[in-house]
Amino acid sequence: GDSVTQMEGPVTLSEEAFLTINCTYTATGYPSLFWYVQYPGEGLQLLLKATKADDKGSNKGFEATYRKETTSFHLEKGSVQVSDSAVYFCALRGDNQGGKLIFGQGTELSVKP
Amino acid sequence: DTGVSQDPRHKITKRGQNVTFRCDPISEHNRLYWYRQTLGQGPEFLTYFQNEAQLEKSRLLSDRFSAERPKGSFSTLEIQRTEQGDSAMYLCASSPSGFETQYFGPGTRLLVL
């Protein structure tokens, strides 16, 4: 079945460092890909998405490109801030599967001043 | 525009008791999803509704779990004869359709003693 694999955390960075969180997926057909973020004490929020190959999703300085050839959707940010500290989840929505999301295990990011 | 709301936010119960959670989706969202998230893991799909019809149930949803969405508005998730393994965060999400962004509620955290 479809699945998502994320790099394990926690990831600890200094403010203004470059961030990469790896995400790879296994799916048949043409899934849509998402990054959700969960700030401490809050619910899941959509960060960005891409619905077809080579699409780039972006929001709040974060970017991810849908790479079908490598089945990847890595999250990047050029300069992280303390306020980016959160848990990040990669997810896919498969074709003809009712819209349900399949999530990776999450990657905790901690940014130190 | 209010978001997805869930009630209660926290529930502590003793093993063997029944519990019921409520989810109020964003108004006019036809799709409603339930997920379960255990500590350190990503959310896992449980079930979803298109209006009042329950269209899919995960194998994670044992016979002790039942979900309803009367009149296609709010939804309830009931767990009968709770077990310690049911301790988790139960998340609700809604979307206008199966191909659009899912918006998550804050979740109900269940602890079974």
Side-chain angles (χ1 to χ4, degrees):
Chain A
D2 294 356
S3 66
V4 175
T5 301
Q6 287 181 238
M7 66 184 282
E8 296 210 4
V11 174
T12 302
L13 296 174
S14 297
E15 206 165 21
E16 299 183 3
F18 184 85
L19 169 70
T20 299
I21 300 178
N22 290 337
C23 170
T24 57
Y25 68 90
T26 301
T28 55
Y30 302 92
S32 296
L33 301 174
F34 304 83
W35 278 100
Y36 278 83
V37 59
Q38 191 169 37
Y39 297 104
E42 298 185 18
L44 280 167
Q45 302 174 26
L46 178 67
L47 181 59
L48 54 84
K49 66 179 181 181
T51 58
K52 60 183 187 295
D54 300 325
D55 269 2
K56 178 185 283 188
S58 61
N59 186 27
K60 299 181 180 180
F62 291 89
E63 294 182 339
T65 302
Y66 186 161
R67 302 285 189 200
K68 193 163 178 66
E69 64 275 14
T70 54
T71 62
S72 65
F73 193 54
H74 304 321
L75 182 68
E76 297 182 335
K77 186 175 186 182
S79 176
V80 294
Q81 305 300 312
V82 172
S83 58
D84 294 326
S85 298
V87 182
Y88 293 81
F89 293 93
C90 185
L92 72 81
R93 184 181 65 213
D95 290 347
N96 301 317
Q97 293 188 20
K100 68 184 178 190
L101 294 170
I102 296 171
F103 287 87
Q105 75 270 32
T107 302
E108 182 180 0
L109 171 66
S110 178
V111 181
K112 306 297 185 186
Chain B
D1 180 26
T2 58
V4 178
S5 61
Q6 293 187 243
D7 183 69
R9 295 290 304 276
H10 303 273
K11 179 71 177 178
I12 300 174
T13 191
K14 293 182 179 179
R15 188 176 54 188
Q17 297 295 305
N18 299 343
V19 294
T20 300
F21 310 140
R22 177 179 170 125
C23 170
D24 286 90
I26 294 171
S27 178
E28 299 182 357
H29 277 194
N30 296 325
R31 287 286 177 101
L32 188 149
Y33 300 83
W34 285 99
Y35 295 84
R36 181 172 69 186
Q37 184 179 18
T38 53
L39 201 60
Q41 299 297 316
E44 295 176 293
F45 169 77
L46 292 179
T47 188
Y48 84 92
F49 293 83
Q50 170 74 26
N51 298 315
E52 66 275 9
Q54 187 175 18
L55 297 185
E56 185 178 348
K57 292 192 290 185
S58 163
R59 64 182 184 279
L60 294 175
L61 216 62
S62 76
D63 291 344
R64 297 184 296 105
F65 288 71
S66 62
E68 294 182 342
R69 193 183 182 195
K71 303 180 182 178
S73 55
F74 70 92
S75 176
T76 59
L77 178 68
E78 181 183 15
I79 309 174
Q80 296 182 328
R81 305 181 302 283
T82 52
E83 302 173 355
Q84 289 183 326
D86 297 331
S87 296
M89 176 77 86
Y90 290 84
L91 299 170
C92 176
S94 71
S95 66
S97 75
F99 299 101
E100 297 182 68
T101 299
Q102 290 182 30
Y103 296 88
F104 282 80
T108 294
R109 185 172 294 281
L110 172 66
L111 177 61
V112 181
L113 301 176

